[in-house]
Amino acid sequence: MRKTLTIIAAAMTLAGTLSACAYRGGDIGDPVVRKFYWYSFLAGDDIDEHCTAGMPDRFRMVYNGVYSEQVRIYQLDSLQKVLSVKVVGSGNAGKLSSDDLLGPWRAEESKIALDQETYDRLVASFKGDGMFGPPPVGLRLPSQSFYWTAASCLNGSYHFTAWKHPSDSFDRLVFSSNLFALDTTAIPVKAAGPVPFDPQRADSARRGEVTDFTLEVGPRGLRR
């Protein structure tokens, strides 16, 4: 079964690297959608496009727990106040079937309705952690590392920022604990820590069988 997953994963990689196509909506939990729109989704291009005065506040936080192992996506808006959670892992063989060969890479999902007090407390933690302040321009975010990104629209203004491990700013984050506490997917969080060198993955990367990438924070979103 593991060999089958490896073959399918390699085929997905050969079909094309992660693309910078503009995300306009769609299920980012679908591995094909992620492949074509991940950079744009992460930057919140769709949030930026519709962020004008009078529009609902929107928040998109992504935890990169080493991209090939775990990614957690949290989305929320001021209108519905429903926290949407999607967790993508390295591939769940139990979800493989002849009807859905990409099933192992589809996200596990949950939605949590928030009361006003919980919503306000969460947004306050966003503000306290500097989510709406100046971005760390030039910060590089390797896919095989731990970091948070946040794209948002607050009071008609678009914001994007990021925090990378190891750093004091990453360690001081409060919103991360708040989100993890609300998460009902029952999938354990991959805790940030050292990422050991993996010679097998490095060899696969040289052969083009896996895709590693590095993003960089710009003055407005991600540099691409």
Side-chain angles (χ1 to χ4, degrees):
M1 179 66 75
R2 185 173 182 82
K3 182 177 181 181
T4 301
L5 290 179
T6 301
I7 292 172
I8 296 173
M12 289 175 63
T13 300
L14 292 173
T17 58
L18 286 167
S19 173
C21 297
Y23 178 75
R24 294 289 184 267
D27 181 13
I28 203 66
D30 184 313
V32 176
V33 175
R34 282 199 306 279
K35 178 167 287 291
F36 282 99
Y37 301 108
W38 183 244
Y39 296 168
S40 179
F41 175 84
L42 206 63
D45 289 345
D46 57 315
I47 294 176
D48 187 11
E49 181 180 6
H50 299 289
C51 187
T52 58
M55 294 297 290
D57 294 337
R58 294 179 62 189
F59 311 97
R60 177 178 297 157
M61 293 68 60
V62 177
Y63 176 65
N64 190 89
V66 179
Y67 184 82
S68 62
E69 298 179 25
Q70 185 179 97
V71 174
R72 308 181 81 94
I73 302 164
Y74 299 88
Q75 299 189 86
L76 178 67
D77 68 63
S78 61
L79 190 62
Q80 297 184 357
K81 297 183 179 64
V82 173
L83 180 64
S84 168
V85 184
K86 297 179 187 288
V87 182
V88 181
S90 57
N92 181 355
K95 296 172 66 178
L96 179 65
S97 72
S98 58
D99 294 329
D100 186 7
L101 293 178
L102 299 181
W105 295 278
R106 295 192 189 279
E108 296 288 344
E109 304 180 17
S110 69
K111 292 187 177 182
I112 306 96
L114 306 182
D115 58 34
Q116 188 65 49
E117 181 180 357
T118 302
Y119 173 84
D120 291 342
R121 184 167 59 248
L122 194 53
V123 174
S125 69
F126 297 162
K127 293 179 180 178
D129 286 333
M131 190 176 291
F132 314 120
V137 176
L139 180 67
R140 293 174 63 80
L141 307 171
S143 57
Q144 296 301 103
S145 68
F146 293 90
Y147 59 81
W148 277 97
T149 63
S152 60
C153 175
L154 180 70
N155 299 326
S157 295
Y158 164 80
H159 303 272
F160 179 85
T161 194
W163 304 262
K164 180 184 174 184
H165 174 82
S167 68
D168 290 341
S169 61
F170 185 98
D171 292 341
R172 289 195 300 264
L173 290 177
V174 174
F175 80 79
S176 56
S177 298
N178 291 341
L179 289 176
F180 293 155
L182 292 167
D183 190 326
T184 59
T185 60
I187 299 174
V189 175
K190 183 174 177 60
V195 181
F197 176 71
D198 183 345
Q200 184 175 359
R201 182 176 180 84
D203 186 54
S204 296
R206 282 193 294 270
R207 294 198 301 267
E209 296 174 355
V210 297
T211 300
D212 292 338
F213 54 93
T214 297
L215 304 175
E216 183 175 328
V217 178
R220 187 181 180 88
L222 289 169
R223 285 177 173 155
R224 281 161 280 177

